[in-house]
Amino acid sequence: MSPHPPRSTIADVARRAGVSKATVSRFLNHRDTLLSPEIAQRVEAAIEALAYTPSPMARALKRGRSRLIGLVVADITNPYSVAVLSGAEQACRQAGYLMMLFNLANERERESVGLQMLSSYQVEGFILNTLGLEQGAVLKSVLQDRPVVLVDRLYQGLEVDFVSLDNVQAIDACFDHLMAAGYRDFLFVTEPLGAVSSRIERVRACEARLAALAPAAEGRWVEAGADDPDGLARALQDARAGARRPPAVIAANGVVTMRIVAAVTALGWRLGEEIGLIGIDDTSWAPYVGPGISAVAQPTDALGSLAARCLIERIGGLAVPARTIRLPGTLMARGSTRLTP
Amino acid sequence: MSPHPPRSTIADVARRAGVSKATVSRFLNHRDTLLSPEIAQRVEAAIEALAYTPSPMARALKRGRSRLIGLVVADITNPYSVAVLSGAEQACRQAGYLMMLFNLANERERESVGLQMLSSYQVEGFILNTLGLEQGAVLKSVLQDRPVVLVDRLYQGLEVDFVSLDNVQAIDACFDHLMAAGYRDFLFVTEPLGAVSSRIERVRACEARLAALAPAAEGRWVEAGADDPDGLARALQDARAGARRPPAVIAANGVVTMRIVAAVTALGWRLGEEIGLIGIDDTSWAPYVGPGISAVAQPTDALGSLAARCLIERIGGLAVPARTIRLPGTLMARGSTRLTP
DNA sequence: TTGTATGCGTTATCAC
DNA sequence: GTGATAACGCATACAA
């Protein structure tokens, strides 16, 4: 008695139905055409009886196509990544693809490993949301001309479809809201820029808007890593010190928003009183921290499903130039930007 | 010119190195033994030159073993799931396994689909954190005697390794802390019980403790689904109405904690003043909502990596009776349970 | 120590 | 319409 009652194969089905393997295969793949109803019946019954399921592995080996899509995320701990992932996964599933996930856990050494791994599983395409440090050339070789779509982060020298938040619109929305609320002194806080395009874009958008607003309003930006909470606290204090009225802080994403909340709490300040706060990424907790934290919600679901759809189109053979899709964010005004003069 | 420069295979390597395919295969699998250094050199060089990577698919097909582990999570949107996943993924990786993820998105129809899918990819074992509604018998058939370890949620009629928070200890820790803080009136809030064993265990632990504490303390428990915020609000009001001093609410998990925070906010109450709150699951935002929310932190990383390790032991052939591993939680005391009489 | 041959579960190309 | 048969990329029993 074998411990693993081995899965039934196409051969088993063929035997039981009294037909050839080829016929069973035809039933599986071209059920509609080329099959006499009587035989189809028998095959179907045999499949049913044996609880037969095709082996995607063998199928992929033979066909060269795996019905697999590879997703690389920078950090699955980030709710943004998960939200995008959910959207993408749904779209993939609807199109009959399965998603293989590779999480970088923010370690850039893992980037090429992940790509290799996914690649070796014959994924038909990649959705990438990575650290962006790999060289374009290296990247291209492991990608092997398979379709790629980038989410949120652009790769230098890789001209492929790109789906992302409209960072300029999002930053502008923050400033519009803040100006209307009466704020005139600003501090933009981002994670260390590195080579991450979305971070850079947001900073640039911020600088541009600040330049346009001067001299009615003024501000600057700082990087705040996880390792230096004191630096962030000092930056906040400086912002307050140099301002006539409460300044407003703009957080580049949800992670930074949390760090700012921590710093503000440590300083004993109240959001919306001593300091204003708005951030990109609307998190589940934003409404309940302090007086509620204002935020620009990203259309994460749409981003994910669009990315998947673009990729699947490419896999299907679509050959148009690289597309860039920018989706607008939605401003959620809450107490943290209700300036009380 | 073909669009996909096809990946090089073992045959290409063999040709380039001037050896047989078998030799290359030996180099790959038994590098240490059975190989003359000179030939090994040549093979290695060829592999390098061609950037050859073995096809895990073909390998799995031949060997019957895929080096894949299937993980089914109830809801990837839940940070608890992600945290466990991270821990498990790391352990798998260290042991040379790749994890295939299937997210149920809380839809129970997907449960059997997911199992089938993973199963068809020849995963060598399963880590399951599911909705728990599938029949044991059905389950067994798709599992096909492959090793399984359950995380957080027990399956009726499936005697396999199980890794989870020590729910009794966690609930007791809550009560100990709450009693010490001076609370005497309690309300335990859980997601609808359904067939989810962890929810049931926590309620039972709560009932037991309440019974032991009576009549010095008293309380009850309620289910609070996402669809009925009013019901939760009423339950909270009832709890306050019937109590001499502020009652304490115990949330069965992070999701419920968030719902309670929303309800308390809507009622205009302050945590730690009109009402106490402690919850299982220490979330990133817990320290920053109101005066900070007390919580019992789950050792999510350890849970995940233990689950993976157990599974890998089983895959390796370990044949001991089903093990049950319960890890203690860690109480984080914050402002929400600082009773101010 | 190395090469030859076979088969893993499929699909595709031929015949019939 | 349907059935042999080869091939996908690899690992292994066996022969040399």
Side-chain angles (χ1 to χ4, degrees), chain A residues 86-127:
Chain A
S86 293
E89 199 260 333
Q90 248 179 305
C92 285
R93 185 153 33 100
Q94 281 170 9
Y97 283 85
L98 187 61
M99 226 170 59
M100 274 194 87
L101 172 67
F102 196 92
N103 174 30
L104 297 183
N106 271 330
E107 297 165 29
R108 40 168 188 226
E109 316 83 70
R110 301 199 60 199
E111 199 168 76
S112 58
V113 184
L115 259 12
Q116 298 274 16
M117 182 124 295
L118 258 17
S119 178
S120 77
Y121 272 95
Q122 301 278 58
V123 297
E124 298 184 32
F126 296 89
I127 301 178

XYZ file of all heavy atoms in Angstrom, chain A residues 86-127:
328
model
N -4.174 42.277 -4.228
C -5.541 41.757 -4.268
C -6.199 42.075 -5.599
O -6.805 41.203 -6.233
C -6.373 42.362 -3.145
O -5.902 41.925 -1.913
N -6.076 43.318 -6.013
C -6.682 43.720 -7.277
C -6.120 42.930 -8.440
O -6.859 42.432 -9.293
N -4.816 42.794 -8.447
C -4.158 42.098 -9.544
C -4.561 40.621 -9.558
O -4.844 40.049 -10.608
C -2.650 42.230 -9.425
N -4.594 40.052 -8.374
C -4.889 38.630 -8.271
C -6.284 38.323 -8.823
O -6.468 37.353 -9.552
C -4.791 38.215 -6.799
C -4.621 36.735 -6.581
C -5.909 36.089 -6.212
O -6.762 36.785 -5.641
O -6.093 34.912 -6.521
N -7.217 39.178 -8.486
C -8.580 38.986 -8.968
C -8.643 39.018 -10.489
O -9.249 38.157 -11.120
C -9.473 40.094 -8.409
C -10.495 39.609 -7.424
C -11.310 40.770 -6.914
O -10.754 41.754 -6.400
N -12.612 40.685 -7.064
N -7.998 40.017 -11.049
C -8.000 40.153 -12.507
C -7.340 38.946 -13.165
O -7.810 38.435 -14.174
C -7.297 41.437 -12.915
N -6.250 38.500 -12.579
C -5.554 37.329 -13.116
C -6.465 36.117 -13.087
O -6.587 35.382 -14.065
C -4.306 37.019 -12.289
S -2.951 38.155 -12.592
N -7.078 35.941 -11.973
C -7.935 34.774 -11.813
C -9.043 34.765 -12.854
O -9.308 33.753 -13.494
C -8.541 34.785 -10.409
C -9.348 33.584 -10.080
C -9.349 33.343 -8.590
N -9.301 34.585 -7.834
C -10.362 35.159 -7.271
N -11.546 34.632 -7.398
N -10.236 36.272 -6.570
N -9.664 35.921 -13.029
C -10.742 35.994 -14.011
C -10.265 35.631 -15.404
O -11.022 35.133 -16.220
C -11.355 37.396 -14.001
C -12.311 37.585 -12.841
C -12.742 39.025 -12.680
O -12.451 39.848 -13.545
N -13.398 39.334 -11.581
N -8.996 35.900 -15.666
C -8.460 35.605 -16.990
C -7.853 34.199 -17.044
O -7.225 33.831 -18.034
C -7.427 36.652 -17.369
N -8.006 33.469 -15.955
C -7.507 32.098 -15.970
C -6.031 31.965 -15.656
O -5.411 30.959 -15.969
N -5.481 32.980 -15.055
C -4.077 32.909 -14.658
C -3.953 32.756 -13.154
O -4.795 33.215 -12.398
C -3.334 34.177 -15.087
C -3.008 34.212 -16.550
C -3.937 34.674 -17.473
C -1.784 33.760 -17.032
C -3.660 34.692 -18.835
C -1.495 33.775 -18.380
C -2.431 34.233 -19.275
O -2.135 34.241 -20.604
N -2.881 32.131 -12.757
C -2.593 32.022 -11.335
C -1.409 32.922 -11.031
O -0.508 33.071 -11.849
C -2.243 30.580 -10.987
C -2.079 30.263 -9.494
C -3.373 30.531 -8.750
C -1.664 28.824 -9.300
N -1.423 33.534 -9.880
C -0.353 34.454 -9.570
C 0.667 33.832 -8.635
O 0.325 33.293 -7.603
C -0.915 35.709 -8.924
C -0.318 36.938 -9.536
S -1.155 38.389 -9.007
C -0.907 38.235 -7.276
N 1.911 33.925 -9.009
C 2.973 33.484 -8.100
C 3.580 34.719 -7.469
O 4.022 35.634 -8.165
C 4.050 32.723 -8.860
C 3.735 31.262 -9.007
S 5.172 30.314 -9.543
C 5.969 29.928 -7.995
N 3.600 34.713 -6.151
C 4.060 35.895 -5.426
C 5.488 35.739 -4.953
O 5.880 34.695 -4.462
C 3.154 36.089 -4.209
C 3.570 37.159 -3.221
C 3.456 38.532 -3.839
C 2.716 37.068 -1.969
N 6.242 36.796 -5.108
C 7.567 36.800 -4.494
C 7.733 38.090 -3.707
O 7.628 39.185 -4.253
C 8.670 36.674 -5.544
C 9.992 36.288 -4.946
C 10.362 34.956 -4.845
C 10.845 37.261 -4.458
C 11.567 34.596 -4.272
C 12.055 36.906 -3.881
C 12.415 35.565 -3.787
N 7.990 37.944 -2.436
C 8.114 39.091 -1.547
C 9.577 39.425 -1.287
O 10.340 38.569 -0.864
C 7.426 38.758 -0.226
C 7.628 39.846 0.807
O 7.762 41.013 0.467
N 7.654 39.446 2.069
N 9.954 40.653 -1.539
C 11.362 41.027 -1.344
C 11.680 41.336 0.116
O 12.844 41.375 0.506
C 11.701 42.253 -2.185
C 11.589 42.074 -3.698
C 12.031 43.337 -4.401
C 12.432 40.888 -4.160
N 10.645 41.572 0.919
C 10.856 41.947 2.316
C 11.860 43.095 2.404
O 12.661 43.155 3.329
C 11.320 40.744 3.125
N 11.797 43.953 1.421
C 12.666 45.135 1.392
C 14.155 44.835 1.312
O 14.981 45.710 1.580
C 12.398 46.033 2.606
C 11.307 47.038 2.312
O 11.137 47.464 1.161
N 10.554 47.409 3.327
N 14.499 43.602 0.962
C 15.919 43.282 0.825
C 16.282 43.260 -0.653
O 15.796 42.441 -1.405
C 16.207 41.908 1.426
C 15.936 41.829 2.910
C 15.883 40.374 3.382
O 16.554 39.528 2.773
O 15.138 40.104 4.348
N 17.194 44.128 -1.020
C 17.416 44.221 -2.456
C 18.209 43.056 -3.007
O 18.150 42.766 -4.195
C 18.083 45.539 -2.866
C 19.130 46.027 -1.985
C 19.928 47.153 -2.605
N 21.035 47.404 -1.698
C 21.414 48.601 -1.295
N 20.813 49.656 -1.750
N 22.393 48.732 -0.445
N 18.925 42.335 -2.158
C 19.618 41.145 -2.665
C 18.611 40.154 -3.246
O 18.945 39.359 -4.118
C 20.389 40.415 -1.567
C 21.173 41.285 -0.635
C 20.283 41.822 0.463
O 19.854 41.071 1.328
O 20.002 43.056 0.404
N 17.415 40.199 -2.717
C 16.441 39.204 -3.133
C 15.836 39.498 -4.491
O 15.162 38.656 -5.077
C 15.320 39.112 -2.096
C 15.815 38.741 -0.708
C 14.696 38.228 0.130
N 14.101 37.051 -0.483
C 12.903 36.588 -0.190
N 12.177 37.203 0.704
N 12.431 35.525 -0.799
N 16.087 40.684 -4.967
C 15.437 41.099 -6.198
C 15.738 40.145 -7.358
O 14.835 39.608 -7.995
C 15.868 42.521 -6.555
C 14.963 43.212 -7.516
C 15.271 44.700 -7.592
O 16.282 45.081 -8.222
O 14.519 45.482 -7.010
N 17.018 39.946 -7.605
C 17.345 39.113 -8.761
C 16.989 37.654 -8.498
O 16.559 36.939 -9.401
C 18.823 39.250 -9.110
O 19.603 38.894 -8.005
N 17.131 37.227 -7.250
C 16.719 35.869 -6.902
C 15.245 35.649 -7.244
O 14.884 34.650 -7.869
C 16.898 35.616 -5.383
C 16.556 34.178 -5.061
C 18.295 35.963 -4.947
N 14.446 36.601 -6.837
C 13.014 36.481 -7.072
C 12.685 36.409 -8.541
O 11.899 35.564 -8.980
N 13.308 37.271 -9.280
C 13.072 37.278 -10.717
C 13.478 35.948 -11.336
O 12.760 35.364 -12.152
C 13.873 38.421 -11.347
C 13.167 39.720 -11.723
C 11.769 39.812 -11.147
C 13.981 40.922 -11.365
N 14.613 35.461 -10.951
C 15.117 34.180 -11.446
C 14.116 33.069 -11.145
O 13.760 32.268 -12.013
C 16.442 33.804 -10.762
C 17.570 34.763 -11.018
C 18.329 34.460 -12.286
O 17.832 33.716 -13.124
N 19.500 35.058 -12.443
N 13.728 33.046 -9.901
C 12.830 32.002 -9.423
C 11.533 31.990 -10.229
O 11.147 30.975 -10.796
C 12.523 32.291 -7.960
C 11.642 31.280 -7.316
S 12.440 30.609 -5.854
C 13.833 29.785 -6.563
N 10.903 33.131 -10.260
C 9.671 33.260 -11.020
C 9.915 32.857 -12.466
O 9.141 32.119 -13.074
C 9.201 34.718 -10.948
C 8.071 35.077 -9.996
C 7.835 34.016 -8.939
C 8.291 36.428 -9.363
N 11.000 33.345 -12.976
C 11.345 33.078 -14.365
C 11.476 31.579 -14.610
O 11.013 31.050 -15.616
C 12.647 33.789 -14.700
O 13.025 33.526 -16.016
N 12.090 30.899 -13.678
C 12.315 29.470 -13.859
C 10.995 28.697 -13.817
O 10.905 27.603 -14.340
C 13.266 28.948 -12.792
O 12.590 28.802 -11.567
N 9.998 29.290 -13.216
C 8.695 28.635 -13.208
C 7.903 28.981 -14.452
O 6.709 28.771 -14.505
C 7.909 28.984 -11.942
C 8.230 28.034 -10.817
C 9.187 28.340 -9.873
C 7.598 26.798 -10.743
C 9.512 27.438 -8.871
C 7.908 25.905 -9.747
C 8.864 26.230 -8.812
O 9.154 25.335 -7.824
N 8.591 29.559 -15.400
C 7.973 29.818 -16.690
C 6.788 30.759 -16.616
O 5.829 30.594 -17.381
C 7.495 28.499 -17.315
C 8.577 27.489 -17.527
C 9.347 27.753 -18.798
O 9.920 28.833 -18.952
N 9.354 26.820 -19.691
N 6.831 31.704 -15.709
C 5.727 32.662 -15.685
C 5.662 33.327 -17.056
O 6.675 33.524 -17.712
C 5.904 33.732 -14.593
C 5.903 33.093 -13.226
C 7.156 34.548 -14.813
N 4.450 33.670 -17.451
C 4.293 34.236 -18.792
C 4.492 35.744 -18.792
O 4.578 36.365 -19.857
C 2.931 33.865 -19.355
C 2.771 32.366 -19.510
C 1.448 31.959 -20.156
O 0.942 32.710 -20.991
O 0.943 30.886 -19.806
N 4.530 36.314 -17.614
C 4.737 37.753 -17.534
C 4.974 38.166 -16.089
O 4.768 37.382 -15.168
N 5.433 39.408 -15.919
C 5.762 39.884 -14.580
C 5.007 41.166 -14.238
O 4.892 42.064 -15.070
C 7.252 40.219 -14.480
C 8.165 39.047 -14.654
C 8.608 38.677 -15.911
C 8.604 38.318 -13.555
C 9.470 37.599 -16.078
C 9.462 37.240 -13.717
C 9.901 36.878 -14.988
N 4.541 41.238 -13.013
C 4.097 42.508 -12.466
C 5.120 42.871 -11.400
O 5.337 42.112 -10.453
C 2.694 42.416 -11.846
C 1.680 41.969 -12.898
C 2.286 43.755 -11.244
C 0.272 41.806 -12.365
